Amino acid sequence: MAAQTFIAISELHPNLSHPKVAGIVIGKSDVKSFPDRKNIGVDRFTFGFTIKDSPEFFVNVTAWGNDLYVNGLSNSFSTGDCVIVENPLVSSKDPEKGDKFCPTTPSFYRLMVTEVHSQVSLCADTGAIERLLPLIHLPVKDPGDFYSLGDIVANGQRLEGTVINILAAVRSIGEMKQFITSDQRKGQRLEVKLFDDSVSSFPLVCWDREAIQLVQTLIPKETVLFIADAKIGFDSFRSGMTATVNAKTIITLNPDTREASLLFSYAKEVAESGALDQDEKPEDVPVESITDVYTVGQLKQKAQDISEMFFGITYSFVSKLDLNSSVSKLIKTRCTRCNFMVTEEEVSCSNLMCPGRDQMFSSSTGFDMLMDFTDHTGTLQACSLRSPLAEKALGCTTEEFTNLTDDERTAMKWKLLLERCKIYVKILPSIKMKSGMRAVVLDCSVADPGEVKQHMSVLLQQP
């Protein structure tokens, strides 16, 4: 296919005849409807999107028409797609009218498309696509012009109502909640938790369905966002600041900037250390209060059905416990305040979000290993077994363990392997595990045969 000729956004002006513009969609709004003042009882529909064709230039496009045309057009592409806009109306921006509800652009103009005169289609020109795709990772504002989350928290209510740029990593993505407004319109809300090297959790609220669909595709702890023109407010319910995605906001995923690269490296390091998981961890309940009994299969199924932590008991065999690994894989040192992994030689915590960075450093060393347990319904792999429970299960301290020979470690392992145990577990959702769940052993001991027999008749009937 021959390469097509497109008008650059920087060269747009109202006198162009049948202009054709190619760009990558960097922002998109929800479809809205308004009563048509010329036709009583008829609604007009509209939505907007923003396209970019170079690092410096991008422009807003508005579509108007009936329900079928506008909703059909909106559903035909998403943020991140490359599109061709043919024969739009090119008009000067009017900041007093609709343009104040659109992203701020460097262009003097805006584009309008209608069903009769214009066409919007996905770009099939491979040369254009290769040129446009990298632009999705370039922020629409100066990459150094942003607030850290710490800056927002420090300024507090002085930022109430302001619109600012934010660079932050995604910590977690909540579930979309739907509601009905007082005038019977459907609405939705989703909250994203952000973090950086100054604040461990900060809320970003999304109300538009398009924004929600975009953030739902993100991978927590592996995505950095440059959020241009987020609105800052004070939430009296939680007595803290929040950021909100609005009609002017453009979110750039994993920006191609030095600042974002540094934050991405930090986010990866913190995520791998488990410090964020530890910070999120609710208090464990006493094991004597845990009464629900599950098969391994039931534990896996419940973890898929709900996205919350839960506790349970399983009567299973310990099928894997690698005590012959190197000591560094079985015994680890962590900061006592944030649980960040450190070396025994360190004199301070390297976690920038540690709440005790300004205090005297303290650490603790203990068992930190993985085990599998199995029953007739399957195997739960890589379950976390840590001190002090590990000392109880193994019958020795970390110091005693380091002095054992390989034969003595093997003998210790076989005291638990293939024994049916009564195992108390905490199950947490986890994106890092293939199973989507993470199991923490709270207690483990060889099961009483009578107790096993009591539950076995029920367990064997379970899928």
Side-chain angles (χ1 to χ4, degrees), residues 214-366:
L214 175 65
V215 301
Q216 283 179 324
T217 65
L218 308 181
I219 302 176
K221 303 166 189 172
E222 295 183 23
T223 307
V224 171
L225 306 178
F226 188 99
I227 308 164
D229 291 335
K231 188 170 185 179
I232 301 300
F234 179 76
D235 188 328
S236 56
F237 177 74
R238 28 184 167 197
S239 298
M241 307 306 292
T242 64
T244 302
V245 175
N246 61 86
K248 298 184 74 66
T249 305
I250 290 184
I251 300 175
T252 303
L253 312 183
N254 293 323
D256 185 12
T257 68
R258 176 181 176 275
E259 295 87 349
S261 178
L262 291 172
L263 180 56
F264 181 83
S265 298
Y266 172 79
K268 184 178 180 182
E269 177 186 346
V270 173
E272 290 176 350
S273 74
L276 289 174
D277 295 333
Q278 182 70 16
D279 191 37
E280 291 172 348
K281 184 183 74 173
E283 290 297 318
D284 292 338
V285 300
V287 291
E288 56 267 21
S289 69
I290 302 172
T291 56
D292 294 334
V293 178
Y294 299 88
T295 63
V296 168
Q298 289 172 329
L299 287 173
K300 290 181 175 180
Q301 185 61 50
K302 185 169 182 177
Q304 291 179 357
D305 293 341
I306 67 173
S307 58
E308 299 176 350
M309 176 192 70
F310 66 94
F311 298 86
I313 301 170
T314 181
Y315 292 90
S316 300
F317 295 98
V318 177
S319 52
K320 184 177 180 181
L321 181 63
D322 189 4
L323 298 184
N324 297 104
S325 296
S326 63
V327 171
S328 62
K329 291 185 178 181
L330 301 174
I331 299 175
K332 296 170 185 175
T333 301
R334 294 178 181 268
C335 171
T336 56
R337 291 188 174 86
C338 69
N339 207 42
F340 197 83
M341 198 179 305
V342 297
T343 64
E344 291 187 16
E345 295 77 23
E346 289 189 65
V347 294
S348 64
C349 182
S350 55
N351 178 16
L352 296 178
M353 295 192 300
C354 177
R357 281 181 64 81
D358 297 329
Q359 303 171 27
M360 183 176 292
F361 175 64
S362 64
S363 63
S364 62
T365 300

Side-chain angles (χ1 to χ4, degrees), residues 76-291:
S76 68
F77 64 88
S78 303
T79 299
D81 286 338
C82 297
V83 298
I84 296 174
V85 182
E86 294 189 61
N87 200 33
L89 173 66
V90 182
S91 59
S92 297
K93 291 195 296 190
D94 186 348
E96 297 303 317
K97 293 185 178 180
D99 289 295
K100 67 180 180 180
F101 301 111
C102 299
T104 302
T105 69
S107 174
F108 294 116
Y109 306 105
R110 58 188 173 96
L111 308 181
M112 186 175 75
V113 297
T114 61
E115 184 175 14
V116 175
H117 300 100
S118 317
Q119 183 175 344
V120 180
S121 58
L122 290 173
C123 182
D125 185 317
T126 55
I129 292 173
E130 289 177 0
R131 176 177 59 83
L132 295 171
L133 283 178
L135 301 177
I136 196 70
H137 297 295
L138 298 181
V140 297
K141 297 291 183 75
D142 180 348
D145 177 20
F146 64 86
Y147 278 71
S148 71
L149 301 180
D151 293 335
I152 300 173
V153 173
N155 280 278
Q157 295 188 53
R158 284 175 293 191
L159 290 176
E160 171 80 27
T162 60
V163 175
I164 65 172
N165 308 323
I166 301 170
L167 181 70
V170 177
R171 174 171 181 154
S172 63
I173 301 169
E175 294 186 4
M176 184 178 74
K177 298 179 180 179
Q178 296 180 309
F179 56 87
I180 303 294
T181 63
S182 57
D183 57 354
Q184 301 305 302
R185 291 183 295 110
K186 292 181 179 180
Q188 58 283 319
R189 181 184 188 277
L190 181 143
E191 185 169 302
V192 179
K193 288 293 196 315
L194 306 175
F195 75 99
D196 63 10
D197 58 2
S198 60
V199 171
S200 61
S201 183
F202 187 90
L204 174 70
V205 180
C206 303
W207 297 95
D208 273 14
R209 190 174 296 275
E210 289 289 341
I212 289 173
Q213 289 176 350
L214 175 65
V215 301
Q216 283 179 324
T217 65
L218 308 181
I219 302 176
K221 303 166 189 172
E222 295 183 23
T223 307
V224 171
L225 306 178
F226 188 99
I227 308 164
D229 291 335
K231 188 170 185 179
I232 301 300
F234 179 76
D235 188 328
S236 56
F237 177 74
R238 28 184 167 197
S239 298
M241 307 306 292
T242 64
T244 302
V245 175
N246 61 86
K248 298 184 74 66
T249 305
I250 290 184
I251 300 175
T252 303
L253 312 183
N254 293 323
D256 185 12
T257 68
R258 176 181 176 275
E259 295 87 349
S261 178
L262 291 172
L263 180 56
F264 181 83
S265 298
Y266 172 79
K268 184 178 180 182
E269 177 186 346
V270 173
E272 290 176 350
S273 74
L276 289 174
D277 295 333
Q278 182 70 16
D279 191 37
E280 291 172 348
K281 184 183 74 173
E283 290 297 318
D284 292 338
V285 300
V287 291
E288 56 267 21
S289 69
I290 302 172
T291 56

Side-chain angles (χ1 to χ4, degrees), residues 56-78:
E56 295 82 19
F57 281 92
F58 48 100
V59 68
N60 292 322
V61 187
T62 305
W64 286 91
N66 60 34
D67 184 359
L68 185 64
Y69 168 68
V70 171
N71 275 291
L73 180 58
S74 177
N75 292 332
S76 68
F77 64 88
S78 303

